[in-house]
Amino acid sequence: QRLGARRARQAAQPEAPAHRIAIRQLYGLGEFYEQESGQKFTPRGVRYQPNGDLGQAAQAFRRLSAVGYNTVSIVIDACMARWDCLAASDGDGLRPEALDNLVALLQVAREHNLQLLLASAGLPEGSSYAAQAMQGSSAQFAGEHNTGLLTPQGVAAYRSYWDDLLDGLLTRGAPFDSVLGWELLAEQWYASDQPPFSSIRGRARWIPPIPRQ
């Protein structure tokens, strides 16, 4: 039922704008380029973390653009400020106001001719997605990262999170042409002191999730 509802929403969504930046081969080497002008695009950027003040972010983007930067990397769900707590810690799914704020940030970046690299810190702590992933916890798999990335329940939770995130942004008309790329999981690692990596011997059975139809 959920898959059918998602397909219905996708059919009703507006078409995302074409990416401003693309990749081409030149003399056997790959490079970024601007599709409108055909000029080579060389990313020059910094890591920036907004604090929820859109006006302050606009000032920062203006200064960065003025000194020659064209790319900014942002962690979108670290929950270091209220604006980027994408998922409700006591409810189901994503917070609509957080999605609205992210769309506004993308629009500000576009106004200042900046491309964004949007990175995820993982499934938001306390969210319904994290709870779904932890259903795969067992004597063979334990810990947020091990369970989230090595069990069918974890894979399904990440899939649901990204489906809901991208659906929410597309529904709101997010300017995806200002997104250079997505980092699906920043600073990935496994917990070596938790199963299955802490096991001295034995086998861990991983059952792959059912492929999408």
Side-chain angles (χ1 to χ4, degrees):
Q1 291 181 345
R2 179 170 182 169
L3 180 59
R6 175 169 290 121
R7 286 175 175 170
R9 291 199 308 270
Q10 290 173 342
Q13 288 169 347
E15 184 177 352
H19 285 284
R20 173 189 156 200
I21 307 300
I23 300 174
R24 66 187 176 191
Q25 291 282 330
L26 188 64
Y27 303 114
L29 300 175
E31 68 176 15
F32 293 113
Y33 75 101
E34 296 188 23
Q35 295 204 77
E36 185 173 339
S37 67
Q39 296 295 313
K40 179 179 179 179
F41 178 84
T42 301
R44 292 182 295 273
V46 298
R47 171 66 65 86
Y48 174 76
Q49 200 58 41
N51 63 4
D53 187 330
L54 196 61
Q56 190 175 92
Q59 292 179 7
F61 285 177
R62 177 181 55 78
R63 291 195 297 268
L64 289 170
S65 181
V67 297
Y69 288 108
N70 57 21
T71 307
V72 177
S73 175
I74 292 174
V75 178
I76 60 174
D77 51 13
C79 215
M80 292 184 291
R82 184 63 180 169
W83 82 272
D84 65 348
C85 289
L86 285 178
S89 60
D90 56 353
D92 185 34
L94 302 178
R95 296 173 53 241
E97 61 271 27
L99 291 171
D100 293 340
N101 291 339
L102 182 53
V103 170
L105 191 69
L106 294 177
Q107 291 169 340
V108 170
R110 176 200 261 179
E111 291 169 5
H112 294 283
N113 204 31
L114 290 173
Q115 291 287 294
L116 297 184
L117 285 169
L118 301 180
S120 170
L123 299 177
E125 184 177 353
S127 68
S128 59
Y129 308 101
Q132 179 185 358
M134 290 307 294
Q135 291 176 5
S137 181
S138 66
Q140 292 183 324
F141 297 96
E144 175 187 354
H145 281 253
N146 297 357
T147 302
L149 298 173
L150 296 175
T151 69
Q153 295 88 343
V155 172
Y158 271 98
R159 177 180 292 169
S160 295
Y161 176 56
W162 279 98
D163 278 348
D164 290 348
L165 174 57
L166 295 177
D167 281 354
L169 294 177
L170 189 58
T171 299
R172 288 164 171 78
F176 286 121
D177 55 339
S178 62
V179 178
L180 181 61
W182 303 84
E183 192 172 354
L184 300 184
L185 188 56
E187 301 180 6
Q188 160 54 16
W189 48 271
Y190 293 108
S192 61
D193 61 342
Q194 294 177 322
F197 302 105
S198 61
S199 301
I200 298 176
R201 65 181 61 183
R203 295 182 178 180
R205 185 184 180 194
W206 185 82
I207 303 175
I210 300 175
R212 289 185 175 183
Q213 300 297 323

